[in-house]
Amino acid sequence: EAGVAQSPRYKIIEKRQSVAFWCNPISGHATLYWYQQILGQGPKLLIQFQNNGVVDDSQLPKDRFSAERLKGVDSTLKIQPAKLEDSAVYLCASSPPPTDTQYFGPGTRLTVL
Amino acid sequence: GESVGLHLPTLSVQEGDNSIINCAYSNSASDYFIWYKQESGKGPQFIIDIRSNMDKRQGQRVTVLLNKTVKHLSLQIAATQPGDSAVYFCAEGQAGTALIFGKGTTLSVSS
């Protein structure tokens, strides 16, 4: 079974630029999560989708971050404009119904200069 | 919001020893707990999980213990191997919600 796919794996941008990350969850997984992991810390939820609907985006900085999952499969996370403090690894995870076990992708390491 | 914490940031053991990684959680409403292993440059990898109606669950070389009275979770790794070296995170959650992670414990195994 293929795992969660993410791209790109690495991205370096300058502050105030925009960037987008892509995630393809495990086939059949209805729930998709985006987490932000700052160096030395555990992942922190940004947004949770159930199919193509948002379940929880309470911790998403909506003035600069946006995410969508239009067809209930792939998802994109965008940052515009980026700030220095956005430097982190952005992890995508998915889980199948009815379990709560989340399976993570390899992440995208973002460096904002 | 409430978050999960870990007792020790680092743990060093010898190959073949048993390792115990501890975690304290604060949300009494959490009913699902999970341990992940994260190697450098990779995403968190599922190790084992446990629900709040259980006290103990065993997997291959790993055991998770849950003490709801003191809100404590532990991961025991038997016969630790160099390949077990990684950062270990515990996480808590409720059905259908995102997980809340602690800061992690770095396990170093020397041969």
Side-chain angles (χ1 to χ4, degrees):
Chain A
E1 179 182 82
V4 176
Q6 291 189 246
S7 68
R9 290 297 314 278
Y10 306 91
K11 189 74 177 178
I12 301 174
I13 61 173
E14 295 186 349
K15 60 183 179 182
R16 291 188 289 274
Q17 286 187 323
S18 62
V19 64
F21 312 127
W22 173 82
C23 172
N24 179 235
I26 295 172
S27 178
H29 285 199
T31 309
L32 184 148
Y33 309 80
W34 283 101
Y35 289 85
Q36 180 193 60
Q37 186 175 25
I38 293 172
L39 185 65
Q41 300 182 16
K44 185 185 78 171
L45 178 73
L46 290 174
I47 189 167
Q48 175 186 351
F49 291 94
Q50 180 75 19
N51 296 309
N52 61 347
V54 175
V55 174
D56 184 356
D57 64 355
S58 58
Q59 299 182 72
L60 187 72
K62 299 180 186 63
D63 57 333
R64 299 185 300 106
F65 286 65
S66 64
E68 60 184 12
R69 194 185 184 199
L70 293 176
K71 297 183 179 179
V73 180
D74 293 4
S75 177
T76 57
L77 175 70
K78 297 179 181 178
I79 307 175
Q80 181 179 11
K83 292 185 175 182
L84 296 177
E85 59 261 35
D86 298 332
S87 294
V89 175
Y90 291 85
L91 294 162
C92 179
S94 67
S95 63
T99 73
D100 297 306
T101 304
Q102 296 180 26
Y103 298 90
F104 285 82
T108 297
R109 180 176 297 276
L110 173 67
T111 301
V112 182
L113 302 176
Chain B
E2 295 176 281
S3 62
V4 175
L6 290 170
H7 291 296
L8 291 175
T10 61
L11 178 65
S12 297
V13 301
Q14 292 285 322
E15 181 178 3
D17 287 350
N18 295 330
S19 301
I20 300 176
I21 301 173
N22 296 303
C23 173
Y25 67 94
S26 58
N27 189 350
S28 299
S30 293
D31 59 9
Y32 178 66
F33 305 87
I34 188 167
W35 282 99
Y36 284 96
K37 172 187 180 183
Q38 188 172 27
E39 297 174 281
S40 181
K42 297 184 179 180
Q45 176 189 357
F46 171 83
I47 301 174
I48 192 168
D49 58 2
I50 189 168
R51 297 218 171 260
S52 58
N53 60 351
M54 302 173 67
D55 296 323
K56 179 180 180 179
R57 192 169 185 213
Q58 288 184 291
Q60 187 175 13
R61 282 202 306 120
V62 295
T63 301
V64 56
L65 298 177
L66 175 63
N67 185 330
K68 295 180 289 293
T69 302
V70 295
K71 297 179 187 172
H72 185 267
L73 191 69
S74 68
L75 175 70
Q76 300 178 2
I77 305 173
T80 312
Q81 303 167 2
D84 295 327
S85 295
V87 179
Y88 289 80
F89 292 97
C90 68
E92 62 175 316
Q94 300 173 50
T97 67
L99 296 170
I100 299 173
F101 285 79
K103 291 186 177 181
T105 290
T106 300
L107 176 64
S108 298
V109 183
S110 54
S111 55

PDB file of all heavy atoms in Angstrom, chain A residues 46-81:
ATOM      1  N   LEU A  46      -2.723  22.340  11.747  1.00  0.00           N
ATOM      2  CA  LEU A  46      -3.132  23.551  11.055  1.00  0.00           C
ATOM      3  C   LEU A  46      -4.589  23.430  10.605  1.00  0.00           C
ATOM      4  O   LEU A  46      -5.396  24.332  10.827  1.00  0.00           O
ATOM      5  CB  LEU A  46      -2.241  23.792   9.838  1.00  0.00           C
ATOM      6  CG  LEU A  46      -0.793  24.191  10.127  1.00  0.00           C
ATOM      7  CD1 LEU A  46      -0.002  24.237   8.832  1.00  0.00           C
ATOM      8  CD2 LEU A  46      -0.746  25.534  10.833  1.00  0.00           C
ATOM      9  N   ILE A  47      -4.920  22.319   9.950  1.00  0.00           N
ATOM     10  CA  ILE A  47      -6.265  22.154   9.430  1.00  0.00           C
ATOM     11  C   ILE A  47      -6.574  20.675   9.256  1.00  0.00           C
ATOM     12  O   ILE A  47      -5.692  19.871   8.992  1.00  0.00           O
ATOM     13  CB  ILE A  47      -6.432  22.913   8.085  1.00  0.00           C
ATOM     14  CG1 ILE A  47      -7.893  22.934   7.634  1.00  0.00           C
ATOM     15  CG2 ILE A  47      -5.531  22.334   7.007  1.00  0.00           C
ATOM     16  CD1 ILE A  47      -8.153  23.927   6.491  1.00  0.00           C
ATOM     17  N   GLN A  48      -7.860  20.338   9.443  1.00  0.00           N
ATOM     18  CA  GLN A  48      -8.348  18.977   9.278  1.00  0.00           C
ATOM     19  C   GLN A  48      -9.517  18.980   8.306  1.00  0.00           C
ATOM     20  O   GLN A  48     -10.443  19.780   8.441  1.00  0.00           O
ATOM     21  CB  GLN A  48      -8.800  18.407  10.622  1.00  0.00           C
ATOM     22  CG  GLN A  48      -9.430  17.027  10.541  1.00  0.00           C
ATOM     23  CD  GLN A  48      -9.991  16.545  11.877  1.00  0.00           C
ATOM     24  OE1 GLN A  48      -9.756  17.173  12.917  1.00  0.00           O
ATOM     25  NE2 GLN A  48     -10.726  15.449  11.859  1.00  0.00           N
ATOM     26  N   PHE A  49      -9.451  18.075   7.311  1.00  0.00           N
ATOM     27  CA  PHE A  49     -10.531  17.905   6.339  1.00  0.00           C
ATOM     28  C   PHE A  49     -11.192  16.542   6.545  1.00  0.00           C
ATOM     29  O   PHE A  49     -10.541  15.559   6.845  1.00  0.00           O
ATOM     30  CB  PHE A  49      -9.986  17.921   4.907  1.00  0.00           C
ATOM     31  CG  PHE A  49      -9.471  19.234   4.422  1.00  0.00           C
ATOM     32  CD1 PHE A  49      -8.127  19.548   4.521  1.00  0.00           C
ATOM     33  CD2 PHE A  49     -10.334  20.160   3.847  1.00  0.00           C
ATOM     34  CE1 PHE A  49      -7.651  20.759   4.059  1.00  0.00           C
ATOM     35  CE2 PHE A  49      -9.860  21.372   3.375  1.00  0.00           C
ATOM     36  CZ  PHE A  49      -8.511  21.673   3.482  1.00  0.00           C
ATOM     37  N   GLN A  50     -12.490  16.502   6.345  1.00  0.00           N
ATOM     38  CA  GLN A  50     -13.232  15.253   6.233  1.00  0.00           C
ATOM     39  C   GLN A  50     -13.825  15.275   4.832  1.00  0.00           C
ATOM     40  O   GLN A  50     -14.701  16.076   4.531  1.00  0.00           O
ATOM     41  CB  GLN A  50     -14.336  15.164   7.286  1.00  0.00           C
ATOM     42  CG  GLN A  50     -15.161  13.885   7.224  1.00  0.00           C
ATOM     43  CD  GLN A  50     -14.422  12.685   7.782  1.00  0.00           C
ATOM     44  OE1 GLN A  50     -13.450  12.836   8.520  1.00  0.00           O
ATOM     45  NE2 GLN A  50     -14.867  11.501   7.443  1.00  0.00           N
ATOM     46  N   ASN A  51     -13.304  14.371   3.974  1.00  0.00           N
ATOM     47  CA  ASN A  51     -13.612  14.436   2.542  1.00  0.00           C
ATOM     48  C   ASN A  51     -13.207  15.829   2.041  1.00  0.00           C
ATOM     49  O   ASN A  51     -12.057  16.200   2.207  1.00  0.00           O
ATOM     50  CB  ASN A  51     -15.064  14.078   2.284  1.00  0.00           C
ATOM     51  CG  ASN A  51     -15.347  12.633   2.669  1.00  0.00           C
ATOM     52  OD1 ASN A  51     -14.632  11.729   2.258  1.00  0.00           O
ATOM     53  ND2 ASN A  51     -16.378  12.419   3.482  1.00  0.00           N
ATOM     54  N   ASN A  52     -14.105  16.610   1.475  1.00  0.00           N
ATOM     55  CA  ASN A  52     -13.676  17.919   0.991  1.00  0.00           C
ATOM     56  C   ASN A  52     -14.140  19.053   1.888  1.00  0.00           C
ATOM     57  O   ASN A  52     -14.035  20.240   1.517  1.00  0.00           O
ATOM     58  CB  ASN A  52     -14.139  18.139  -0.445  1.00  0.00           C
ATOM     59  CG  ASN A  52     -15.647  18.102  -0.558  1.00  0.00           C
ATOM     60  OD1 ASN A  52     -16.328  17.691   0.361  1.00  0.00           O
ATOM     61  ND2 ASN A  52     -16.173  18.535  -1.683  1.00  0.00           N
ATOM     62  N   GLY A  53     -14.635  18.718   3.088  1.00  0.00           N
ATOM     63  CA  GLY A  53     -15.087  19.739   4.019  1.00  0.00           C
ATOM     64  C   GLY A  53     -14.102  19.951   5.156  1.00  0.00           C
ATOM     65  O   GLY A  53     -13.421  19.021   5.591  1.00  0.00           O
ATOM     66  N   VAL A  54     -14.039  21.203   5.636  1.00  0.00           N
ATOM     67  CA  VAL A  54     -13.148  21.544   6.744  1.00  0.00           C
ATOM     68  C   VAL A  54     -13.808  21.173   8.069  1.00  0.00           C
ATOM     69  O   VAL A  54     -14.939  21.569   8.349  1.00  0.00           O
ATOM     70  CB  VAL A  54     -12.821  23.047   6.730  1.00  0.00           C
ATOM     71  CG1 VAL A  54     -11.985  23.409   7.958  1.00  0.00           C
ATOM     72  CG2 VAL A  54     -12.071  23.412   5.457  1.00  0.00           C
ATOM     73  N   VAL A  55     -13.070  20.400   8.891  1.00  0.00           N
ATOM     74  CA  VAL A  55     -13.565  20.012  10.205  1.00  0.00           C
ATOM     75  C   VAL A  55     -13.039  20.951  11.279  1.00  0.00           C
ATOM     76  O   VAL A  55     -13.763  21.354  12.186  1.00  0.00           O
ATOM     77  CB  VAL A  55     -13.158  18.560  10.538  1.00  0.00           C
ATOM     78  CG1 VAL A  55     -13.537  18.201  11.964  1.00  0.00           C
ATOM     79  CG2 VAL A  55     -13.774  17.593   9.545  1.00  0.00           C
ATOM     80  N   ASP A  56     -11.762  21.302  11.154  1.00  0.00           N
ATOM     81  CA  ASP A  56     -11.117  22.141  12.167  1.00  0.00           C
ATOM     82  C   ASP A  56     -10.036  22.970  11.500  1.00  0.00           C
ATOM     83  O   ASP A  56      -9.083  22.414  10.959  1.00  0.00           O
ATOM     84  CB  ASP A  56     -10.523  21.274  13.278  1.00  0.00           C
ATOM     85  CG  ASP A  56      -9.909  22.081  14.415  1.00  0.00           C
ATOM     86  OD1 ASP A  56      -9.856  23.322  14.337  1.00  0.00           O
ATOM     87  OD2 ASP A  56      -9.470  21.447  15.406  1.00  0.00           O
ATOM     88  N   ASP A  57     -10.186  24.266  11.515  1.00  0.00           N
ATOM     89  CA  ASP A  57      -9.133  25.176  11.015  1.00  0.00           C
ATOM     90  C   ASP A  57      -8.879  26.269  12.032  1.00  0.00           C
ATOM     91  O   ASP A  57      -8.428  27.359  11.692  1.00  0.00           O
ATOM     92  CB  ASP A  57      -9.476  25.756   9.644  1.00  0.00           C
ATOM     93  CG  ASP A  57     -10.715  26.651   9.670  1.00  0.00           C
ATOM     94  OD1 ASP A  57     -11.359  26.732  10.734  1.00  0.00           O
ATOM     95  OD2 ASP A  57     -11.036  27.242   8.630  1.00  0.00           O
ATOM     96  N   SER A  58      -9.170  25.973  13.290  1.00  0.00           N
ATOM     97  CA  SER A  58      -9.076  26.985  14.342  1.00  0.00           C
ATOM     98  C   SER A  58      -7.649  27.472  14.575  1.00  0.00           C
ATOM     99  O   SER A  58      -7.445  28.572  15.089  1.00  0.00           O
ATOM    100  CB  SER A  58      -9.641  26.423  15.656  1.00  0.00           C
ATOM    101  OG  SER A  58      -8.949  25.259  16.045  1.00  0.00           O
ATOM    102  N   GLN A  59      -6.654  26.652  14.205  1.00  0.00           N
ATOM    103  CA  GLN A  59      -5.273  27.055  14.438  1.00  0.00           C
ATOM    104  C   GLN A  59      -4.563  27.463  13.153  1.00  0.00           C
ATOM    105  O   GLN A  59      -3.345  27.646  13.155  1.00  0.00           O
ATOM    106  CB  GLN A  59      -4.517  25.916  15.139  1.00  0.00           C
ATOM    107  CG  GLN A  59      -5.101  25.560  16.502  1.00  0.00           C
ATOM    108  CD  GLN A  59      -4.315  24.481  17.198  1.00  0.00           C
ATOM    109  OE1 GLN A  59      -3.207  24.710  17.672  1.00  0.00           O
ATOM    110  NE2 GLN A  59      -4.884  23.273  17.286  1.00  0.00           N
ATOM    111  N   LEU A  60      -5.293  27.632  12.105  1.00  0.00           N
ATOM    112  CA  LEU A  60      -4.710  28.049  10.833  1.00  0.00           C
ATOM    113  C   LEU A  60      -4.644  29.576  10.783  1.00  0.00           C
ATOM    114  O   LEU A  60      -5.675  30.243  10.921  1.00  0.00           O
ATOM    115  CB  LEU A  60      -5.571  27.540   9.675  1.00  0.00           C
ATOM    116  CG  LEU A  60      -5.028  27.749   8.265  1.00  0.00           C
ATOM    117  CD1 LEU A  60      -3.859  26.806   8.003  1.00  0.00           C
ATOM    118  CD2 LEU A  60      -6.128  27.544   7.233  1.00  0.00           C
ATOM    119  N   PRO A  61      -3.461  30.147  10.585  1.00  0.00           N
ATOM    120  CA  PRO A  61      -3.360  31.617  10.467  1.00  0.00           C
ATOM    121  C   PRO A  61      -3.961  32.057   9.132  1.00  0.00           C
ATOM    122  O   PRO A  61      -3.292  32.149   8.114  1.00  0.00           O
ATOM    123  CB  PRO A  61      -1.844  31.870  10.519  1.00  0.00           C
ATOM    124  CG  PRO A  61      -1.236  30.601  11.009  1.00  0.00           C
ATOM    125  CD  PRO A  61      -2.135  29.501  10.541  1.00  0.00           C
ATOM    126  N   LYS A  62      -5.229  32.365   9.171  1.00  0.00           N
ATOM    127  CA  LYS A  62      -5.979  32.542   7.925  1.00  0.00           C
ATOM    128  C   LYS A  62      -5.611  33.809   7.148  1.00  0.00           C
ATOM    129  O   LYS A  62      -5.985  33.947   5.988  1.00  0.00           O
ATOM    130  CB  LYS A  62      -7.477  32.529   8.222  1.00  0.00           C
ATOM    131  CG  LYS A  62      -7.965  31.216   8.834  1.00  0.00           C
ATOM    132  CD  LYS A  62      -9.440  31.252   9.095  1.00  0.00           C
ATOM    133  CE  LYS A  62      -9.901  29.997   9.845  1.00  0.00           C
ATOM    134  NZ  LYS A  62      -9.287  29.872  11.193  1.00  0.00           N
ATOM    135  N   ASP A  63      -4.867  34.712   7.793  1.00  0.00           N
ATOM    136  CA  ASP A  63      -4.461  35.908   7.060  1.00  0.00           C
ATOM    137  C   ASP A  63      -3.382  35.581   6.040  1.00  0.00           C
ATOM    138  O   ASP A  63      -3.176  36.335   5.074  1.00  0.00           O
ATOM    139  CB  ASP A  63      -3.955  36.974   8.031  1.00  0.00           C
ATOM    140  CG  ASP A  63      -2.800  36.497   8.887  1.00  0.00           C
ATOM    141  OD1 ASP A  63      -2.699  35.263   9.131  1.00  0.00           O
ATOM    142  OD2 ASP A  63      -2.006  37.340   9.325  1.00  0.00           O
ATOM    143  N   ARG A  64      -2.702  34.433   6.219  1.00  0.00           N
ATOM    144  CA  ARG A  64      -1.624  34.104   5.280  1.00  0.00           C
ATOM    145  C   ARG A  64      -1.654  32.658   4.795  1.00  0.00           C
ATOM    146  O   ARG A  64      -1.059  32.327   3.789  1.00  0.00           O
ATOM    147  CB  ARG A  64      -0.271  34.382   5.941  1.00  0.00           C
ATOM    148  CG  ARG A  64      -0.065  35.825   6.336  1.00  0.00           C
ATOM    149  CD  ARG A  64       1.328  36.078   6.878  1.00  0.00           C
ATOM    150  NE  ARG A  64       1.609  35.276   8.068  1.00  0.00           N
ATOM    151  CZ  ARG A  64       2.397  34.214   8.078  1.00  0.00           C
ATOM    152  NH1 ARG A  64       2.991  33.821   6.967  1.00  0.00           N
ATOM    153  NH2 ARG A  64       2.613  33.560   9.202  1.00  0.00           N
ATOM    154  N   PHE A  65      -2.322  31.793   5.518  1.00  0.00           N
ATOM    155  CA  PHE A  65      -2.383  30.372   5.165  1.00  0.00           C
ATOM    156  C   PHE A  65      -3.766  30.039   4.593  1.00  0.00           C
ATOM    157  O   PHE A  65      -4.781  30.519   5.093  1.00  0.00           O
ATOM    158  CB  PHE A  65      -2.154  29.483   6.398  1.00  0.00           C
ATOM    159  CG  PHE A  65      -0.738  29.420   6.901  1.00  0.00           C
ATOM    160  CD1 PHE A  65      -0.118  30.542   7.420  1.00  0.00           C
ATOM    161  CD2 PHE A  65      -0.034  28.229   6.859  1.00  0.00           C
ATOM    162  CE1 PHE A  65       1.194  30.478   7.893  1.00  0.00           C
ATOM    163  CE2 PHE A  65       1.272  28.152   7.339  1.00  0.00           C
ATOM    164  CZ  PHE A  65       1.875  29.283   7.854  1.00  0.00           C
ATOM    165  N   SER A  66      -3.756  29.200   3.575  1.00  0.00           N
ATOM    166  CA  SER A  66      -5.015  28.679   3.043  1.00  0.00           C
ATOM    167  C   SER A  66      -4.803  27.234   2.620  1.00  0.00           C
ATOM    168  O   SER A  66      -3.683  26.818   2.324  1.00  0.00           O
ATOM    169  CB  SER A  66      -5.508  29.516   1.861  1.00  0.00           C
ATOM    170  OG  SER A  66      -4.596  29.418   0.786  1.00  0.00           O
ATOM    171  N   ALA A  67      -5.875  26.473   2.641  1.00  0.00           N
ATOM    172  CA  ALA A  67      -5.785  25.071   2.247  1.00  0.00           C
ATOM    173  C   ALA A  67      -7.085  24.658   1.586  1.00  0.00           C
ATOM    174  O   ALA A  67      -8.151  25.201   1.895  1.00  0.00           O
ATOM    175  CB  ALA A  67      -5.494  24.176   3.444  1.00  0.00           C
ATOM    176  N   GLU A  68      -6.968  23.709   0.672  1.00  0.00           N
ATOM    177  CA  GLU A  68      -8.172  23.205   0.022  1.00  0.00           C
ATOM    178  C   GLU A  68      -8.020  21.729  -0.301  1.00  0.00           C
ATOM    179  O   GLU A  68      -6.908  21.211  -0.418  1.00  0.00           O
ATOM    180  CB  GLU A  68      -8.486  24.006  -1.241  1.00  0.00           C
ATOM    181  CG  GLU A  68      -7.398  23.983  -2.290  1.00  0.00           C
ATOM    182  CD  GLU A  68      -7.742  24.871  -3.481  1.00  0.00           C
ATOM    183  OE1 GLU A  68      -8.690  25.671  -3.395  1.00  0.00           O
ATOM    184  OE2 GLU A  68      -7.045  24.750  -4.512  1.00  0.00           O
ATOM    185  N   ARG A  69      -9.166  21.099  -0.430  1.00  0.00           N
ATOM    186  CA  ARG A  69      -9.221  19.681  -0.798  1.00  0.00           C
ATOM    187  C   ARG A  69     -10.473  19.517  -1.662  1.00  0.00           C
ATOM    188  O   ARG A  69     -11.463  18.947  -1.270  1.00  0.00           O
ATOM    189  CB  ARG A  69      -9.295  18.806   0.454  1.00  0.00           C
ATOM    190  CG  ARG A  69      -9.022  17.339   0.187  1.00  0.00           C
ATOM    191  CD  ARG A  69      -9.220  16.487   1.428  1.00  0.00           C
ATOM    192  NE  ARG A  69      -8.871  15.097   1.167  1.00  0.00           N
ATOM    193  CZ  ARG A  69      -9.255  14.067   1.905  1.00  0.00           C
ATOM    194  NH1 ARG A  69     -10.008  14.266   2.979  1.00  0.00           N
ATOM    195  NH2 ARG A  69      -8.890  12.841   1.591  1.00  0.00           N
ATOM    196  N   LEU A  70     -10.386  20.048  -2.861  1.00  0.00           N
ATOM    197  CA  LEU A  70     -11.563  20.248  -3.684  1.00  0.00           C
ATOM    198  C   LEU A  70     -12.315  18.970  -4.026  1.00  0.00           C
ATOM    199  O   LEU A  70     -13.529  18.919  -3.985  1.00  0.00           O
ATOM    200  CB  LEU A  70     -11.172  20.992  -4.962  1.00  0.00           C
ATOM    201  CG  LEU A  70     -10.704  22.438  -4.748  1.00  0.00           C
ATOM    202  CD1 LEU A  70     -10.240  23.044  -6.054  1.00  0.00           C
ATOM    203  CD2 LEU A  70     -11.832  23.263  -4.137  1.00  0.00           C
ATOM    204  N   LYS A  71     -11.616  17.913  -4.362  1.00  0.00           N
ATOM    205  CA  LYS A  71     -12.299  16.689  -4.790  1.00  0.00           C
ATOM    206  C   LYS A  71     -12.267  15.608  -3.723  1.00  0.00           C
ATOM    207  O   LYS A  71     -12.546  14.455  -4.001  1.00  0.00           O
ATOM    208  CB  LYS A  71     -11.676  16.173  -6.088  1.00  0.00           C
ATOM    209  CG  LYS A  71     -11.837  17.139  -7.262  1.00  0.00           C
ATOM    210  CD  LYS A  71     -11.271  16.567  -8.550  1.00  0.00           C
ATOM    211  CE  LYS A  71     -11.464  17.539  -9.705  1.00  0.00           C
ATOM    212  NZ  LYS A  71     -10.893  17.028 -10.972  1.00  0.00           N
ATOM    213  N   GLY A  72     -11.905  16.012  -2.507  1.00  0.00           N
ATOM    214  CA  GLY A  72     -11.892  15.056  -1.410  1.00  0.00           C
ATOM    215  C   GLY A  72     -10.757  14.061  -1.443  1.00  0.00           C
ATOM    216  O   GLY A  72     -10.794  13.062  -0.725  1.00  0.00           O
ATOM    217  N   VAL A  73      -9.735  14.350  -2.263  1.00  0.00           N
ATOM    218  CA  VAL A  73      -8.581  13.441  -2.317  1.00  0.00           C
ATOM    219  C   VAL A  73      -7.323  14.251  -2.018  1.00  0.00           C
ATOM    220  O   VAL A  73      -6.953  14.422  -0.858  1.00  0.00           O
ATOM    221  CB  VAL A  73      -8.478  12.719  -3.672  1.00  0.00           C
ATOM    222  CG1 VAL A  73      -7.281  11.776  -3.694  1.00  0.00           C
ATOM    223  CG2 VAL A  73      -9.763  11.956  -3.962  1.00  0.00           C
ATOM    224  N   ASP A  74      -6.692  14.801  -3.076  1.00  0.00           N
ATOM    225  CA  ASP A  74      -5.485  15.592  -2.887  1.00  0.00           C
ATOM    226  C   ASP A  74      -5.796  16.894  -2.166  1.00  0.00           C
ATOM    227  O   ASP A  74      -6.932  17.402  -2.198  1.00  0.00           O
ATOM    228  CB  ASP A  74      -4.857  15.926  -4.243  1.00  0.00           C
ATOM    229  CG  ASP A  74      -4.329  14.710  -4.948  1.00  0.00           C
ATOM    230  OD1 ASP A  74      -4.522  13.594  -4.419  1.00  0.00           O
ATOM    231  OD2 ASP A  74      -3.739  14.855  -6.032  1.00  0.00           O
ATOM    232  N   SER A  75      -4.751  17.449  -1.570  1.00  0.00           N
ATOM    233  CA  SER A  75      -4.911  18.724  -0.872  1.00  0.00           C
ATOM    234  C   SER A  75      -3.698  19.601  -1.129  1.00  0.00           C
ATOM    235  O   SER A  75      -2.591  19.101  -1.357  1.00  0.00           O
ATOM    236  CB  SER A  75      -5.068  18.492   0.632  1.00  0.00           C
ATOM    237  OG  SER A  75      -5.163  19.728   1.332  1.00  0.00           O
ATOM    238  N   THR A  76      -3.923  20.908  -1.115  1.00  0.00           N
ATOM    239  CA  THR A  76      -2.825  21.860  -1.207  1.00  0.00           C
ATOM    240  C   THR A  76      -2.892  22.813  -0.028  1.00  0.00           C
ATOM    241  O   THR A  76      -3.974  23.186   0.438  1.00  0.00           O
ATOM    242  CB  THR A  76      -2.863  22.663  -2.513  1.00  0.00           C
ATOM    243  OG1 THR A  76      -4.124  23.326  -2.616  1.00  0.00           O
ATOM    244  CG2 THR A  76      -2.650  21.780  -3.700  1.00  0.00           C
ATOM    245  N   LEU A  77      -1.730  23.199   0.453  1.00  0.00           N
ATOM    246  CA  LEU A  77      -1.587  24.176   1.522  1.00  0.00           C
ATOM    247  C   LEU A  77      -0.757  25.322   0.964  1.00  0.00           C
ATOM    248  O   LEU A  77       0.299  25.078   0.380  1.00  0.00           O
ATOM    249  CB  LEU A  77      -0.883  23.555   2.736  1.00  0.00           C
ATOM    250  CG  LEU A  77      -0.554  24.490   3.902  1.00  0.00           C
ATOM    251  CD1 LEU A  77      -1.839  24.929   4.614  1.00  0.00           C
ATOM    252  CD2 LEU A  77       0.383  23.802   4.897  1.00  0.00           C
ATOM    253  N   LYS A  78      -1.228  26.543   1.123  1.00  0.00           N
ATOM    254  CA  LYS A  78      -0.529  27.700   0.584  1.00  0.00           C
ATOM    255  C   LYS A  78      -0.219  28.695   1.686  1.00  0.00           C
ATOM    256  O   LYS A  78      -1.016  28.883   2.620  1.00  0.00           O
ATOM    257  CB  LYS A  78      -1.379  28.374  -0.492  1.00  0.00           C
ATOM    258  CG  LYS A  78      -1.654  27.504  -1.703  1.00  0.00           C
ATOM    259  CD  LYS A  78      -2.529  28.227  -2.726  1.00  0.00           C
ATOM    260  CE  LYS A  78      -2.818  27.331  -3.925  1.00  0.00           C
ATOM    261  NZ  LYS A  78      -3.698  27.997  -4.910  1.00  0.00           N
ATOM    262  N   ILE A  79       0.916  29.347   1.536  1.00  0.00           N
ATOM    263  CA  ILE A  79       1.317  30.416   2.433  1.00  0.00           C
ATOM    264  C   ILE A  79       1.612  31.646   1.563  1.00  0.00           C
ATOM    265  O   ILE A  79       2.400  31.565   0.626  1.00  0.00           O
ATOM    266  CB  ILE A  79       2.577  30.064   3.253  1.00  0.00           C
ATOM    267  CG1 ILE A  79       2.410  28.731   3.981  1.00  0.00           C
ATOM    268  CG2 ILE A  79       2.869  31.169   4.260  1.00  0.00           C
ATOM    269  CD1 ILE A  79       3.667  28.267   4.703  1.00  0.00           C
ATOM    270  N   GLN A  80       0.928  32.741   1.893  1.00  0.00           N
ATOM    271  CA  GLN A  80       1.131  33.965   1.119  1.00  0.00           C
ATOM    272  C   GLN A  80       0.732  35.178   1.946  1.00  0.00           C
ATOM    273  O   GLN A  80      -0.461  35.309   2.288  1.00  0.00           O
ATOM    274  CB  GLN A  80       0.315  33.917  -0.181  1.00  0.00           C
ATOM    275  CG  GLN A  80       0.484  35.138  -1.060  1.00  0.00           C
ATOM    276  CD  GLN A  80      -0.328  35.049  -2.341  1.00  0.00           C
ATOM    277  OE1 GLN A  80      -1.182  34.182  -2.507  1.00  0.00           O
ATOM    278  NE2 GLN A  80      -0.057  35.957  -3.267  1.00  0.00           N
ATOM    279  N   PRO A  81       1.643  36.055   2.303  1.00  0.00           N
ATOM    280  CA  PRO A  81       3.084  35.985   2.108  1.00  0.00           C
ATOM    281  C   PRO A  81       3.766  35.243   3.257  1.00  0.00           C
ATOM    282  O   PRO A  81       3.264  35.232   4.382  1.00  0.00           O
ATOM    283  CB  PRO A  81       3.473  37.462   2.131  1.00  0.00           C
ATOM    284  CG  PRO A  81       2.519  38.062   3.128  1.00  0.00           C
ATOM    285  CD  PRO A  81       1.222  37.299   2.948  1.00  0.00           C
TER     286      PRO A  81
END
